[in-house]
């Protein structure tokens, strides 16, 4: 296929321009030199990339400590490591994330055009996906969502081709099975696509089902076997299995499923950056878009489409997911799907009202999406180009901390606090020996920047429980914890102050204590 001929096809020029702009602009937007998000994922993926990298030797104690406790599947950190990224080469890791965003955008457009049978609607879907606030934030962090979405939409396209044509169906199905296997190795929730694939095989009476199922299962089973042999425990599949054991069914039905269902519903407007304080018309519009997406999903389900089966299995997994704080993030990969379903739903609803209105369906839905996501996308871009204080490194411009804090003064204070905490973490190497460890409320971030072992502060942080590590790291940048936690819960007489970090205003932002024995 001639790519230039494809670009010149009617309706393809806008998405081609969007993809080209992503390729040109994303490297600068996503660029980091030696900082990353203060989230578990960023640090885990970077240090797992060190573990899998064939190019360099790092702190073996740290790498094996992280690998032995990680619940994350290996595909994304393996990709980062093979391409030269890791905790000591963060720019490469961030460029890999940006490249995955471009690939996911391209795969999404191809699937959207196949599904909507209209290039202009697929282009509108693509533009909406790119401008989603969480898309603009995730591309600044080390996240596996974009690789996962690229694989999901590639699988959809392959399965659509297998359904439409007998030609080389076996090879196409084998390719789809391999892609689905990689999905599971990228994000555990990828088992939803496996479930949809099994329904597809049986619903379409495909021969050699066991072959395709085996291709999907071989890599995840091999990975689990390697973890078991290596003595590395922990994955989200085990968490889910333990959570669904018979003794938990009553709690699941009466408490957890209703709680998760409410969190899923609340996650929808949050993904569009709509808060409870947003105007009622905007909130109403967001749920109207959701309702249209549901109509589109029902239509796709009635036609036995694999993407609709995937949506159903995915939602069933999320509604019983054992970690409720993951749910808003788990909803993000469904947003592109629901955008396309929204177009389908609008077409159906408006055609029922009047066939003359059908041609206006896409105008209505595009307007609704732009009203919902454009203000937040614009505010992110405006903050991105706003000047940073002179004492704050340019790196922090490319962080959610800078871009998502409501007022610019607060953003400056937050990025300075983060900078101060990171500086002290890096200095801990001067105080701690290689084999020593510290307690911290964000142990993964502590390990990432300190290159020393760290574990979570115990739920009861009394001195009697602080027996595993020699040091205690305390900071103001604590997320869900109270500032300077757990200083108020421990006996200060049994702590020796080793180092302290001040910001430019002279405020104390982080401390390193030695625990007296």
């Amino acid at each position: 296929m001639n790519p230039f001929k494809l670009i010149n096809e009617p309706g393809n020029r806008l998405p081609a321009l969007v993809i080209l702009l992503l390729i040109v602009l994303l490297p600068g937007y996503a660029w980091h030199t030696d900082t990353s998000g203060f989230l578990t994922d960023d640090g885990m993926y970077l240090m797992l990339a060190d573990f899998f990298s064939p190019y360099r030797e790092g702190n073996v104690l740290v790498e094996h400590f992280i690998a032995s406790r990680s619940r994350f599947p290996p595909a994304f950190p393996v990709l980062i490591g093979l391409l030269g990224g890791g905790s000591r080469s963060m720019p490469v890791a961030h460029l890999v994330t940006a490249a995955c965003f471009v690939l996911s955008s391209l795969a999404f457009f191809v699937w959207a055009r196949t599904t909507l049978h209209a290039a202009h609607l697929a282009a509108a879907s693509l533009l909406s996906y790119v401008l989603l606030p969480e898309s603009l934030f995730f591309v600044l962090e080390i996240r596996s969502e974009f690789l996962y979405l690229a694989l999901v939409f590639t699988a959809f396209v392959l399965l659509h081709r297998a359904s439409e044509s007998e030609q080389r169906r076996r090879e196409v199905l084998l390719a789809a099975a391999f892609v689905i296997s990689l999905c599971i190795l990228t994000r555990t929730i990828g088992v939803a696509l496996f479930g949809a694939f099994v329904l597809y095989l049986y619903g379409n009476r495909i021969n050699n089902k066991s072959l395709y199922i085996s291709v999907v299962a071989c890599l995840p089973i091999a990975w689990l076997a390697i973890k078991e042999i290596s003595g590395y425990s922990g994955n989200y599949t085990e968490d889910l299995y333990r959570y669904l054991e018979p003794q938990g069914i009553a709690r699941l039905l009466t408490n957890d499923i209703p709680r998760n269902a409410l969190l899923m519903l609340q996650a929808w407007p949050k993904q569009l950056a709509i808060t409870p304080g947003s105007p009622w018309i905007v909130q109403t519009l967001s749920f109207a878009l959701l309702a249209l997406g549901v109509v589109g999903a029902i239509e796709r389900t009635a036609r036995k489409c694999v993407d609709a089966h995937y949506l159903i299995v995915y939602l069933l997994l999320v509604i019983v997911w054992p970690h409720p704080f993951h749910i808003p993030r788990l909803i993000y990969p469904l947003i592109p799907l629901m955008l396309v379903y929204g177009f389908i739903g609008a077409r159906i609803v408006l055609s029922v009202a009047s066939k003359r209105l059908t041609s206006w369906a896409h105008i209505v839905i595009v307007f609704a999406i732009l009203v919902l996501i454009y203000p937040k996308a614009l505010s992110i871009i405006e903050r991105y180009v706003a000047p940073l204080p002179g004492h704050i490194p340019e790196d922090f411009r490319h962080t959610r901390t800078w871009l998502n804090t409501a007022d610019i003064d607060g953003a400056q204070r937050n990025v300075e606090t983060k900078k101060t905490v990171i500086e002290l973490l890096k200095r801990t190497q001067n105080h701690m020996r290689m084999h020593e460890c510290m307690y911290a409320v964000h142990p993964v971030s502590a390990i990432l920047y300190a290159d020393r072992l760290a574990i979570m502060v115990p739920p009861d942080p009394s001195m009697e429980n602080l027996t595993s590590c020699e040091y205690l790291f305390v900071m103001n940048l604590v997320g869900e914890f109270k500032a300077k936690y757990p200083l108020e819960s421990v006996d200060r007489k049994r702590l020796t102050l080793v180092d302290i970090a001040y910001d430019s205003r002279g405020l104390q932002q982080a401390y390193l204590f030695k625990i007296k024995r």
Side-chain angles (χ1 to χ4, degrees), residues 145-200:
E145 275 84 351
F146 297 132
L147 176 60
Y148 174 75
L149 285 172
L151 294 168
V152 166
F153 291 120
T154 299
F156 288 168
V157 172
L158 289 171
L159 292 174
H160 175 80
R161 179 178 173 184
S163 300
E164 293 293 310
S165 174
E166 296 274 345
Q167 186 179 10
R168 303 187 68 181
R169 175 177 286 180
R170 176 186 171 91
E171 290 83 354
V172 173
L173 286 173
L174 285 172
F178 180 69
V179 169
I180 293 167
S181 184
L182 291 178
C183 271
I184 299 171
L185 285 181
T186 302
R187 292 184 65 78
T188 305
I189 198 73
V191 296
L193 188 55
F194 184 24
F197 183 54
V198 172
L199 292 173
Y200 169 88

Side-chain angles (χ1 to χ4, degrees), residues 7 23 66 115 158 197 239 299 304 312 329 344 392 420 447 470:
I7 291 173
I23 293 171
I66 288 292
T115 302
L158 289 171
F197 183 54
D239 289 356
E299 192 268 350
K304 299 180 180 179
I312 293 169
R329 181 173 170 188
I344 297 172
I392 301 294
T420 307
I447 298 171
E470 297 83 5

Side-chain angles (χ1 to χ4, degrees), residues 11-205:
N12 278 7
R13 292 179 182 176
L14 175 59
L17 177 62
V18 171
I19 298 294
L20 180 61
L21 286 174
L22 287 177
I23 293 171
V24 172
L25 299 177
L26 272 184
Y29 178 71
W31 184 266
H32 292 61
T33 54
D34 63 352
T35 63
S36 192
F38 242 77
L39 297 169
T40 299
D41 288 43
D42 298 66
M44 274 289 189
Y45 282 132
L46 288 166
M47 290 183 285
L48 286 172
D50 294 339
F51 177 77
F52 290 119
S53 175
Y55 308 121
R56 60 181 174 275
E57 291 287 334
N59 185 332
V60 177
L61 282 175
V62 164
E63 290 177 10
H64 284 275
F65 180 82
I66 288 292
S68 65
R69 287 160 174 77
S70 170
R71 286 179 164 85
F72 294 177
F76 188 53
V78 166
L79 177 65
I80 294 173
L82 290 177
L83 293 176
S87 65
R88 294 166 181 79
S89 51
M90 288 189 191
V92 176
H94 283 282
L95 291 178
V96 170
T97 303
C100 289
F101 184 34
V102 175
L103 291 175
S104 71
S105 302
L106 181 59
F108 174 56
F109 170 73
V110 174
W111 172 74
R113 177 159 190 183
T114 301
T115 302
L116 295 170
H117 307 291
H120 60 288
L121 296 183
S125 300
L126 170 63
L127 192 59
S128 303
Y129 168 58
V130 168
L131 290 177
L132 281 171
E134 285 302 296
S135 296
L136 296 175
F137 289 137
F138 279 4
V139 78
L140 297 172
E141 298 159 347
I142 310 298
R143 302 287 192 125
S144 60
E145 275 84 351
F146 297 132
L147 176 60
Y148 174 75
L149 285 172
L151 294 168
V152 166
F153 291 120
T154 299
F156 288 168
V157 172
L158 289 171
L159 292 174
H160 175 80
R161 179 178 173 184
S163 300
E164 293 293 310
S165 174
E166 296 274 345
Q167 186 179 10
R168 303 187 68 181
R169 175 177 286 180
R170 176 186 171 91
E171 290 83 354
V172 173
L173 286 173
L174 285 172
F178 180 69
V179 169
I180 293 167
S181 184
L182 291 178
C183 271
I184 299 171
L185 285 181
T186 302
R187 292 184 65 78
T188 305
I189 198 73
V191 296
L193 188 55
F194 184 24
F197 183 54
V198 172
L199 292 173
Y200 169 88
L201 293 176
Y202 282 91
N204 291 276
R205 299 179 180 179

Side-chain angles (χ1 to χ4, degrees), residues 226-279:
I226 291 171
K227 286 198 73 171
E228 189 67 28
I229 293 169
S230 304
Y232 293 168
S233 61
N235 60 73
Y236 287 121
T237 307
E238 290 179 6
D239 289 356
L240 191 58
Y241 176 77
R242 287 194 298 268
Y243 190 67
L244 298 177
E245 286 180 331
Q247 61 265 30
I249 292 297
R251 185 197 64 226
L252 191 70
L253 293 175
T254 59
N255 179 70
D256 298 352
I257 287 179
R259 177 203 63 205
N260 286 5
L262 179 61
L263 289 172
M264 290 162 63
L265 189 62
Q266 292 171 341
W268 168 257
K270 287 180 181 178
Q271 290 295 331
L272 302 175
I274 297 168
T275 64
S278 299

Side-chain angles (χ1 to χ4, degrees), residues 326-351:
H326 290 172
I327 287 178
R329 181 173 170 188
L330 287 171
I331 293 300
Y332 170 77
L334 298 181
I335 302 299
L337 214 64
M338 295 303 290
L339 291 172
V340 171
Y341 288 171
F343 282 111
I344 297 172
R347 187 184 293 163
I348 293 170
V349 170
L350 292 176
S351 66

